[in-house]
Amino acid sequence: MTLIEEFPVAEGSPYAVTTGPDGALWFTMVHSGMIGRLVPGGEPAYHRLDPDSGPTVITPGPDGALWFTEYRADRIGRITTDGKVTEFAVGSGPFGITPGPDGALWFTETAADRIARLTTDGQVIGFPLPRPGAFPSAITAGPDDALWFTMNQANAVGRITVDGAVTVHPLPTPAAAPVGITAGPDGALWFVAIAAGLIGRITTDGQVREFPLPDRAGRPHAITPGADGALWFTEWGGNRVGSITVDGEITVHDLPTPGSEPHGITLGPDGALWTALESGALARIAPTPLP
């Protein structure tokens, strides 16, 4: 049995969530311009940004801090575990962000069709994509010392080396609109296609396999590895979270509150899965309740 517990947060709108180096969950609050921190079992704390900055995706950096995109403000933010914030002006519409194999942060520029690299001291270099209007979205480090990213409007998954060489892998299903992507436990990359209602797997040599969800209208959004060897994903439109094994077996779980709008999902410091519900809570998914 899988138990889902919800933990309300102030002022609503959590969008992405990750586990920090301090054993806490860190999450963005996209509509209220805040970064939140929650130790499982404790009370959340909040750090205010520009109210209109639109903090979106957040990730642990290579320097012991958390790094996040400010989608509306065209900035990348850095927050230390004690709450000190530094911001860097970058390109247009930063969304996905991940630490790279080279000690820098790599992020997508949705409005500029670029992948960009940001050093921890604020130096930025951008790499144009070969497809105009691609809308690069999520990005993750692969097992091959390259970065892998979804091209939401180009219906493709891209790969970029640390020196900027880009390869584009088209998806078999037309207009699938891939969003979330993560490195799986099997040496492949796994992604979700929000418009086609499917989970995809792509090998580092570009072989794609697709797994349709039971509800093709579920609008999957984010995906992350779990502690159980499966990949866990959110269904924004279906009000569910689910898991898929590396063999393609899918299990889904309804969220207890209707209209929760689950977005980001991560493996928490307590071994449970945690997802950000834009309706105003973090949800914990585990076989047992929080002590």
Side-chain angles (χ1 to χ4, degrees):
M1 179 179 177
T2 297
L3 178 69
I4 301 177
E5 301 172 275
E6 294 183 1
F7 300 88
V9 297
E11 298 187 43
S13 73
Y15 187 86
V17 59
T18 195
T19 295
D22 55 347
L25 294 160
W26 289 78
F27 55 98
T28 58
M29 302 186 71
V30 65
H31 297 308
S32 53
M34 294 193 294
I35 302 295
R37 178 182 182 271
L38 174 68
V39 176
E43 292 297 320
Y46 305 97
H47 304 277
R48 288 204 170 270
L49 309 171
D50 176 348
D52 298 320
S53 58
T56 314
V57 177
I58 187 166
T59 189
D63 56 350
L66 288 301
W67 292 73
F68 55 93
T69 52
E70 295 183 51
Y71 184 75
R72 297 193 195 108
D74 295 335
R75 290 191 296 255
I76 300 293
R78 175 186 185 270
I79 185 167
T80 61
T81 54
D82 60 358
K84 181 181 178 182
V85 175
T86 309
E87 294 169 311
F88 303 93
V90 293
S92 301
F95 180 80
I97 188 168
T98 191
D102 56 349
L105 285 303
W106 288 75
F107 63 95
T108 59
E109 292 183 62
T110 59
D113 292 320
R114 284 193 301 256
I115 304 299
R117 176 184 187 271
L118 173 67
T119 61
T120 55
D121 62 356
Q123 302 301 307
V124 182
I125 183 170
F127 301 96
L129 296 176
R131 303 276 185 92
F135 204 84
S137 301
I139 187 168
T140 193
D144 54 350
D145 290 331
L147 291 304
W148 289 76
F149 56 94
T150 51
M151 301 168 72
N152 178 262
Q153 293 300 299
N155 202 53
V157 169
R159 175 186 185 270
I160 185 169
T161 64
V162 293
D163 57 1
V166 176
T167 306
V168 175
H169 300 285
L171 299 183
T173 298
V179 183
I181 190 168
T182 193
D186 57 348
L189 288 303
W190 290 75
F191 61 92
V192 291
I194 193 169
L198 60 82
I199 309 297
R201 177 186 186 270
I202 183 168
T203 60
T204 53
D205 61 356
Q207 301 300 306
V208 178
R209 185 179 179 192
E210 296 177 332
F211 302 91
L213 293 176
D215 176 11
R216 299 298 294 271
R219 299 189 70 77
H221 184 270
I223 188 166
T224 195
D228 55 356
L231 290 302
W232 284 75
F233 57 90
T234 54
E235 287 187 64
W236 174 75
N239 202 54
R240 287 181 289 264
V241 295
S243 66
I244 181 169
T245 67
V246 295
D247 296 324
E249 182 180 344
I250 294 172
T251 305
V252 295
H253 308 277
D254 292 325
L255 293 170
T257 302
S260 295
E261 298 186 73
H263 283 285
I265 189 167
T266 196
L267 181 63
D270 56 350
L273 278 300
W274 288 78
T275 184
L277 308 181
E278 198 172 346
S279 60
L282 299 182
R284 181 181 187 268
I285 306 103
T288 57
L290 193 66

